[in-house]
């Protein structure tokens, strides 16, 4: 049973990657043009999401450096003293 699962998992992706263009070719779909259009759409989607995630990473790095500097601890302790809180 394990041999069968290993065999299927080894061949599943290559078979799918070969089947899709062959099926499209058999249906007279312009395979290359469809691929290029899909790659363009994928690149624009990647660029759109990647730029926003880079801004998020930049904000996280800024917060991380503020945290490492001890500034948040100083402000937190000052607020605790001002409000009379003890943890």
């Amino acid at each position: 049973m394990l041999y069968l699962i290993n065999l299927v998992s080894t061949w599943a992706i290559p078979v799918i990657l070969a089947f899709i263009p062959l099926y499209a070719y058999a249906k007279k779909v312009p395979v290359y043009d469809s691929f290029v259009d899909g790659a363009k759409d994928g690149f624009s989607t990647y660029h759109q999401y990647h730029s926003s995630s880079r801004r998020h990473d930049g904000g996280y790095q800024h917060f991380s450096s503020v945290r490492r500097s001890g500034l948040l601890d100083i402000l937190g302790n000052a607020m605790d003293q001002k409000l009379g809180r003890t943890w």
Side-chain angles (χ1 to χ4, degrees), residues 32-48:
Y32 182 78
D33 294 334
S34 298
F35 175 78
V36 170
D37 289 341
K40 286 179 186 176
D41 292 342
F43 183 74
S44 67
T45 302
Y46 166 77
H47 187 279
Q48 188 177 18

Side-chain angles (χ1 to χ4, degrees), residues 21-80:
L22 291 173
Y23 182 77
Y25 182 75
K27 291 288 190 177
K28 306 289 188 216
V29 173
V31 177
Y32 182 78
D33 294 334
S34 298
F35 175 78
V36 170
D37 289 341
K40 286 179 186 176
D41 292 342
F43 183 74
S44 67
T45 302
Y46 166 77
H47 187 279
Q48 188 177 18
Y49 286 110
H50 182 68
S51 62
S52 65
S53 69
R54 294 295 297 160
R55 286 192 293 270
H56 181 269
D57 290 344
Y60 176 75
Q61 289 174 355
H62 175 72
F63 178 76
S64 180
S65 62
V66 168
R67 177 126 177 125
R68 277 184 273 130
S69 71
L71 179 63
L72 289 179
D73 292 331
I74 293 169
L75 291 174
N77 290 337
M79 291 292 290
D80 286 342

